[in-house]
Amino acid sequence: MTYAARTDHLQAEGAYFVLAKAQALEAEGKDIIHLEIGQPDIDTFESVAQAGIDAILDGRTRYNPPAGIPDLRRAIADDVGKRIGVSVELERVVISPGAKPNLFFPTLAIVEPGDEVLYPDPGFPSYAAMIGVAGGVPVPVPLVEAKNFSFDLDVFDDLISSRCRLIILNSPGNPTGGVIPSSDLEHIAKRAIEHDCWVITDEIYSRIHYLEDEVPSIYSLPGMDARTILVDGFSKTYAMTGWRLGYGVMPPELARRVMLLATHAYGCTAHFTQFAGLEALHGTEAQVQEMRSRYQRRRDRLVSGLNELPGVSCELPKGAFYAFPNIQSTGVSSSLLADRILQEAGVALLPGTAFGAGGEGFLRLSYATSMDQIEVALERLAVFLAGLI
C-alpha cells in the first residue's frame, strides 16, 4: 500500500517519546523524576470539574454549533478583549477540542502549496507539522537566548519576503519560557503589514507569566486584528489538559472557513466541557493566581539550582512552566545528554532538538511538578554532571 506524501514528514512529539522510555524504565523498577511533560501537576479546579459534571447530569451531552455555544464564545470574547485591551466580537471566536485545531485549520485555510511560513526555532513541534500538511514551506527563525528567546529580528528581516504567507509566534514560548517584548511585536507587525502576511499568535501560556503587566499581544496592535489569529485554551491555565477545550480569535470570514473545516472534521466540541469552561472563566481567578505563584517559586528554585551545576547556564524564563538551560559547555549533544540523564540519573527531560535544530545545546525541563521532585532532580543532576565534566 502507498500513502499520501503530506504525512511523510510527521513525527511524534518528543515529550511523548521520552515519556514512553521513562515509563519503560519504571516498569523495570527504576525510580524516575518526570520533568518531560508540560502538564499542570494539579487536578482540574473543583468548581470547574463540578460544572462539567452538572452539565452532564443536565443533559448537556448533545450536538452543539461547530463554533461552540454562544455563551462561551461571548465570555471568551469579553475575557480576551479585557486582557489585551481591544474589543473582540463573538463572531471572531471559534471554540475547538483543544487549541491545536485553531492552529491547524487557519493554516489550512490560509497557506497554499509553496507559500512560506516563518515560525520560531526552537518551537512547538506542531508548527512545522501543520505547515507541511498544508503544503507550505517551513522557514525557521532562530530565537536569541540573550533576548529572552525572542526572534533574531535581523534574520527575520532577511527571511521575510513576498513569498511569506504566514508568521507564527508563541509568547510565552514553549520550550523556552520566553516572552516577546512589545518593541519586537511592533517590528514584526510592521513587516507583516508590509508583506501582507497573516500572523498566528499562540498564547496558550498567556496567563502563566511572571510579569507585572499582562503579556503583550500582537493582536492588539493597530491594524493587526484584520490579519491575526490569536490561539489560546484552558489546558494550562485551568489544569484542563484532558478536557480538550481551546479557542481561536480571528477575522470573521476566516472564522467562517475554520468553522466549516471543524464541521467536516469533528463536528463540534463536547457540549459539557464548554460549561466547565464558563465556570473556569468566571469563577477561578484566585486559584489561577495561586497556581501561578506556585510556579514562580518552583521556577526560581529550579533556575537557581541549574545555574549552580557545572557546564550549565539558564536564563530566567518570564512565562510558561519550562526552564531551557544552555548545556553547550558540557561538549555533549542535547539528545545524547538527555538520554544519558534519563538512563543514568533517572531524570526524564527533553533535548532542545525535540523542538527544532535551533534547540541544539539546550535541554527543556518542566517545573509543573512538586518542589520535592525538583529538589531530587537537582541532586541527581549535580551528581551526574560532576562525573561528566
Side-chain angles (χ1 to χ4, degrees):
M1 301 296 290
T2 59
Y3 301 92
R6 70 175 61 90
T7 61
D8 287 349
H9 71 290
L10 297 178
Q11 299 179 9
E13 280 189 38
Y16 294 111
F17 177 72
V18 174
L19 174 62
K21 292 174 67 174
Q23 289 175 333
L25 290 171
E26 286 177 317
E28 296 172 2
K30 188 161 186 177
D31 179 53
I32 303 294
I33 302 295
H34 290 274
L35 305 183
E36 78 277 36
I37 293 295
Q39 176 165 253
D41 66 320
I42 64 170
D43 292 331
T44 301
F45 302 143
E46 184 176 352
S47 63
V48 175
Q50 189 61 53
I53 293 168
D54 291 345
I56 292 173
L57 296 176
D58 289 341
R60 309 290 189 179
T61 57
R62 301 179 180 273
Y63 293 134
N64 65 96
I69 62 174
D71 285 352
L72 182 57
R73 294 172 70 199
R74 188 174 298 107
I76 289 168
D78 291 345
D79 180 69
V80 171
K82 180 180 178 181
R83 285 193 288 112
I84 69 175
V86 298
S87 177
V88 177
E89 301 84 11
L90 175 150
E91 292 74 20
R92 291 175 173 264
V93 178
V94 180
I95 296 167
S96 55
K100 285 183 178 180
N102 270 303
L103 294 169
F104 229 106
F105 288 174
T107 302
L108 292 175
I110 289 167
V111 174
E112 297 278 11
D115 287 343
E116 294 184 351
V117 181
L118 275 58
Y119 68 101
D121 182 19
F124 185 46
S126 290
Y127 303 148
M130 68 194 191
I131 295 166
V133 170
V137 178
V139 181
V141 181
L143 303 182
V144 181
E145 182 181 15
K147 293 182 61 179
N148 196 237
F149 295 104
S150 186
F151 273 176
D152 185 322
L153 292 178
D154 291 333
V155 175
F156 172 79
D157 286 344
D158 289 340
L159 292 174
I160 194 169
S161 71
S162 60
R163 298 183 299 276
C164 179
R165 182 66 169 162
L166 172 65
I167 302 164
I168 300 174
L169 307 177
N170 180 208
S171 179
N174 176 15
T176 68
V179 172
I180 305 174
S182 296
S183 57
D184 286 10
L185 292 176
E186 291 167 1
H187 182 106
I188 294 166
K190 180 180 178 181
R191 295 291 183 265
I193 293 170
E194 288 174 354
H195 293 278
D196 196 23
C197 298
W198 288 88
V199 175
I200 288 179
T201 175
D202 181 352
E203 301 185 5
I204 192 70
Y205 298 99
S206 62
R207 300 290 299 279
I208 302 175
H209 67 85
Y210 316 107
L211 308 172
E212 291 186 5
D213 300 317
E214 294 290 344
V215 174
S217 174
I218 198 168
Y219 188 100
S220 67
L221 297 180
M224 290 306 293
D225 62 345
R227 62 179 65 248
T228 300
I229 303 97
L230 185 157
V231 181
D232 202 342
F234 293 75
S235 292
K236 313 298 184 180
T237 303
Y238 303 105
M240 295 176 67
T241 52
W243 292 77
R244 309 316 301 140
L245 188 62
Y247 60 85
V249 180
M250 64 199 77
E253 174 57 22
L254 179 58
R256 185 185 72 83
R257 293 169 183 262
V258 168
M259 179 190 69
L260 290 171
L261 285 167
T263 298
H264 297 293
Y266 54 78
C268 62
T269 303
H271 202 185
F272 61 90
T273 66
Q274 297 180 64
F275 288 88
L278 276 169
E279 171 60 26
L281 286 177
H282 290 151
T284 62
E285 181 59 29
Q287 291 164 285
V288 171
Q289 294 291 344
E290 194 282 329
M291 184 172 67
R292 188 165 68 182
S293 296
R294 189 185 311 172
Y295 286 147
Q296 185 166 0
R297 292 191 294 272
R298 296 171 179 176
R299 175 203 66 164
D300 293 348
R301 176 65 189 110
L302 178 60
V303 172
S304 173
L306 289 171
N307 281 318
E308 294 174 358
L309 299 177
V312 178
S313 64
C314 188
E315 293 291 319
L316 190 67
K318 294 183 178 179
F321 38 59
Y322 308 113
F324 201 61
N326 186 320
I327 49 86
Q328 294 171 21
S329 294
T330 66
V332 182
S333 71
S334 295
S335 59
L336 179 57
L337 188 63
D339 191 60
R340 287 192 59 184
I341 288 172
L342 173 61
Q343 300 289 341
E344 300 174 36
V347 178
L349 42 74
L350 298 184
T353 46
F355 303 90
E360 182 56 76
F362 295 87
L363 302 174
R364 194 198 78 170
L365 293 75
S366 170
Y367 50 88
T369 189
S370 71
M371 191 71 83
D372 288 343
Q373 292 287 89
I374 289 171
E375 293 290 355
V376 174
L378 287 170
E379 291 172 5
R380 293 184 181 183
L381 289 171
V383 171
F384 171 80
L385 290 168
L388 181 71
I389 301 300

